[in-house]
Amino acid sequence: MVVFFLAGLQNVSAAAPETIHVKPFTVHAQKDISFLKDAMRNMMASRLAANSKLQVIEEADKADYLLEGAITAIGNTLSISAQIITKDGSQPPATYYASAASENDIIKAVDQLAANISQQSFAKSSAPMQIAQPTAPSVPAVSLPAVSTPPLAFQTAHPDRAFIHPTAPVVAPMASAQPSSPVFISPSAITEALGFSKTQNLDMAIQDISVADLDGDGVDDIVVAGKNEIMAFHLNGSRLARFGTISLPSSQKIISMMAADLNGNGLAEIFISAVSGSRPLAMAVEWQLDRFNYLFQNQRFYIKPVTVPGRGLILAGQQSTVNDPFADGIFELSVVDGQLVRGEALPVPDGINVFSFALADLDGDGATEVITLDDSDKLRVLMAGGKQLWQSDDHFGGSLRYVGGGSDVTRRRGGDKNPVVDQVDGSQDKTYIPSRIIITDLNNDKLPDVVVNKNMSTASRVLKNMKSYPSGEIHGLVWSGIGLAELWRTKKIDGYVASYDFRSVPGSGQAALYVGLIVNSGWLDMLSAKDSTVLIYPLDLGTAATN
């Protein structure tokens, strides 16, 4: 009796086990693998319950922890992510990744994922989990409950076998499955030849485009930059109707333009970087009543709006030196009495210019990554301190915009008595300005993804000062835990992709990709091309778009 009494006291005083609610996994794929949503949930729940001593419960609002997961199919490879969220928000979310080369490797990937979660989030043993094998082939892998008895949540330790060997043909094997409508993007938007609309041609060579609401009417406008002119258009169907123009002197050349509402008044400002000779010139304008008014101009910076994780949009800037178009350091800028004032340096490694990078917390761990295009057109992901996390095998980017590359100049010095004539070599290398790297959530997993161009030309990556890109693509990329992997791409676009922008309507799942294209740009007409157009790809991102 004493023994039983003491045991009872121990049970009463023992702390209640921590609880976790596992949500159905989100699936992103061009094939119907929706059956994985609940199967993955059951596998993760059973393994966490067995190896971390967590109690898995159905009531999300009563759980100490939530697990949210996503499965992304890229070809035959599956990338699996899981995020542990504390109920009280006392700790930042912890994100974990695993990958499976094929359907047959899913169980092993889930085992490893659950082991990592148990060890790192719940300080449990990281020993490999043992999965019992059936003792006889005649015993079913999963016992199905009677129809009249509601099944208990996560009642089997082997829900994996329920979809690896389903009792009914849920879906054809992945290797031979026919593509169906993907979750994150409608096929007509990207993969079919006529899956876009086209505006009329413009008699100009597009340098850059941006899409934003300039006049506060709640409808996005399209801003197009030429060599030394900015034009703002309303979009009526597929027709561009110009309503505003900014003209620069012919001696100035626009190299970058981007519209964004940094002052929060509901009207997007247009931020312009130009060069005059070798000098950078920055300016910004805002639409006021019936015209553009300058907020500042003739400032010696290259500028670009940049989104900083945890802070939002800021204006970033970089200066030049006598010998280098880009000085060390990229700084936050503020506008004081029409002048740009330099503030704190951004956490960007040396050797990166203001146009070649974006910032994002790709894996949701609270640390900011730097996504950049290097001089070899390789896409790279770096830590803020400069350590490389990943580099692409393929080339991305590709641009005809540049600074530098001037002509020879004769300079006289020393006065009339002892004149000295210097021949200054103006054939220095050009520094090409890549198209922007866009950060947005493409698959609704609440983590940032990457949109970037890929202009195609082997010769342009060999010849340093001569570029030509007869065709290009736009790629949507997602962080897999070990690198950026392709989520979607446009079909080949005939012509030079000069610029592009991405806009979505929050909560609607609807978005659009805008592509500024110079038509039929080849070796012979690259310097004189004047036919440009804007392509518009409507995208279906599913529900709860978060851009």
Side-chain angles (χ1 to χ4, degrees):
M1 292 290 294
V2 174
V3 173
F4 287 119
F5 178 71
L6 290 176
L9 284 179
Q10 289 174 349
N11 288 334
V12 170
S13 61
E18 291 184 308
T19 57
I20 188 168
H21 172 76
V22 182
K23 300 175 69 174
F25 275 56
T26 304
V27 175
H28 309 295
Q30 290 188 337
K31 306 168 186 177
D32 185 6
I33 56 172
S34 57
F35 66 97
L36 286 179
K37 293 175 62 175
D38 291 323
M40 189 68 71
R41 177 195 191 198
N42 291 346
M43 281 195 291
M44 285 299 301
S46 65
R47 282 153 173 75
L48 289 176
N51 291 273
S52 64
K53 307 307 179 186
L54 291 168
Q55 180 181 348
V56 180
I57 63 174
E58 284 284 76
E59 299 83 5
D61 57 341
K62 297 179 181 180
D64 298 310
Y65 302 94
L66 290 178
L67 186 150
E68 296 181 345
I71 310 164
T72 301
I74 305 167
N76 286 332
T77 302
L78 295 178
S79 176
I80 308 168
S81 64
Q83 191 172 66
I84 301 294
I85 304 169
T86 58
K87 178 181 179 180
D88 58 6
S90 58
Q91 300 177 22
T95 305
Y96 299 88
Y97 298 94
S99 61
S102 68
E103 219 175 77
N104 296 329
D105 298 318
I106 293 177
I107 297 175
K108 181 179 178 181
V110 174
D111 288 345
Q112 187 60 57
L113 190 65
N116 291 342
I117 292 172
S118 297
Q119 178 190 20
Q120 298 177 35
S121 282
F122 303 107
K124 302 301 180 183
S125 171
S126 61
M129 289 180 248
Q130 301 299 316
I131 302 179
Q133 299 298 322
T135 57
S138 60
V139 179
V142 177
S143 299
L144 299 178
V147 175
S148 59
T149 304
L152 296 175
F154 321 118
Q155 63 181 12
T156 173
H158 307 290
D160 41 326
R161 295 178 189 146
F163 79 87
I164 295 298
H165 303 289
T167 56
V170 180
V171 67
M174 290 184 64
S176 60
Q178 295 299 315
S180 61
S181 180
V183 174
F184 52 88
I185 192 166
S186 64
S188 63
I190 288 294
T191 58
E192 291 185 3
L194 299 180
F196 59 85
S197 60
K198 174 187 173 298
T199 68
Q200 76 271 27
N201 282 8
L202 302 173
D203 185 20
M204 64 184 302
I206 287 181
Q207 301 296 306
D208 215 346
I209 69 167
S210 194
V211 181
D213 183 4
L214 299 177
D215 52 9
D217 64 355
V219 179
D220 281 332
D221 306 303
I222 297 180
V223 194
V224 177
K227 181 179 178 181
N228 43 42
E229 187 177 42
I230 304 283
M231 291 183 284
F233 298 93
H234 294 307
L235 184 63
N236 298 329
S238 60
R239 189 81 185 167
L240 294 174
R242 183 165 61 170
F243 68 91
T245 302
I246 309 157
S247 296
L248 277 61
S250 59
S251 60
Q252 298 180 8
K253 179 180 68 173
I254 296 170
I255 60 170
S256 176
M257 178 274 301
M258 186 172 175
D261 183 14
L262 263 67
N263 59 19
N265 67 350
L267 303 174
E269 306 90 66
I270 301 175
F271 297 90
I272 305 163
S273 287
V275 289
S276 178
S278 60
R279 298 183 305 164
L281 291 174
M283 60 204 79
V285 298
E286 185 177 70
W287 185 257
Q288 296 173 358
L289 296 178
D290 60 353
R291 68 192 64 188
F292 285 112
N293 288 324
Y294 281 93
L295 303 177
F296 59 84
Q297 62 184 127
N298 297 324
Q299 300 295 294
R300 299 292 181 84
F301 286 91
Y302 301 108
I303 60 171
K304 183 182 76 172
V306 172
T307 298
V308 178
R311 289 193 54 196
L313 272 172
I314 66 159
L315 184 62
Q318 189 173 22
Q319 294 178 298
S320 65
T321 69
V322 174
N323 299 316
D324 196 327
F326 295 101
D328 288 338
I330 299 171
F331 298 88
E332 181 174 354
L333 302 178
S334 57
V335 184
V336 179
D337 296 329
Q339 304 292 312
L340 290 179
V341 178
R342 201 172 82 174
E344 294 184 0
L346 297 186
V348 178
D350 290 340
I352 291 175
N353 71 59
V354 70
F355 302 115
S356 65
F357 83 99
L359 301 175
D361 180 5
L362 292 174
D363 51 9
D365 65 352
T368 297
E369 284 79 45
V370 180
I371 302 93
T372 181
L373 280 163
D374 65 18
D375 292 340
S376 300
D377 288 342
K378 293 297 182 75
L379 190 61
R380 304 168 68 201
V381 178
L382 311 174
M383 297 176 67
K387 180 181 178 181
Q388 181 169 294
L389 300 176
W390 174 82
Q391 177 178 294
S392 66
D393 293 326
D394 293 342
H395 293 97
F396 287 89
S399 170
L400 298 181
R401 293 173 292 154
Y402 64 89
V403 297
S407 58
D408 291 348
V409 176
T410 300
R411 183 175 60 195
R412 182 185 177 96
R413 60 184 174 87
D416 293 333
K417 292 184 178 180
N418 299 296
V420 177
V421 177
D422 293 333
Q423 187 75 19
V424 179
D425 183 6
S427 62
Q428 69 266 27
D429 288 339
K430 300 172 182 176
T431 300
Y432 283 87
I433 308 299
S435 297
R436 68 180 64 101
I437 299 169
I438 297 174
I439 304 297
T440 188
D441 185 0
L442 294 172
N443 55 8
N444 301 317
D445 62 355
K446 301 181 181 178
L447 291 172
D449 305 310
V450 176
V451 178
V452 67
N453 71 322
K454 180 187 281 188
N455 277 321
M456 299 177 185
S457 174
T458 302
S460 291
R461 292 185 168 96
V462 175
L463 303 175
K464 294 180 65 175
N465 291 320
M466 183 66 72
K467 306 291 183 182
S468 178
Y469 299 102
S471 63
E473 299 171 343
I474 310 293
H475 289 237
L477 306 174
V478 60
W479 182 251
S480 68
I482 57 174
L484 288 171
E486 183 179 297
L487 199 60
W488 51 257
R489 74 170 78 178
T490 64
K491 275 195 168 186
K492 187 184 78 168
I493 303 170
D494 291 327
Y496 162 58
V497 175
S499 183
Y500 46 93
D501 207 349
F502 182 95
R503 296 285 286 174
S504 67
V505 180
S508 72
Q510 301 304 305
L513 175 68
Y514 299 81
V515 178
L517 185 73
I518 294 181
V519 181
N520 295 325
S521 178
W523 284 105
L524 297 179
D525 65 352
M526 62 178 295
L527 299 178
S528 59
K530 286 227 171 164
D531 259 353
S532 296
T533 190
V534 177
L535 308 181
I536 304 169
Y537 294 80
L539 310 182
D540 179 6
L541 304 181
T543 58
T546 56
N547 185 37

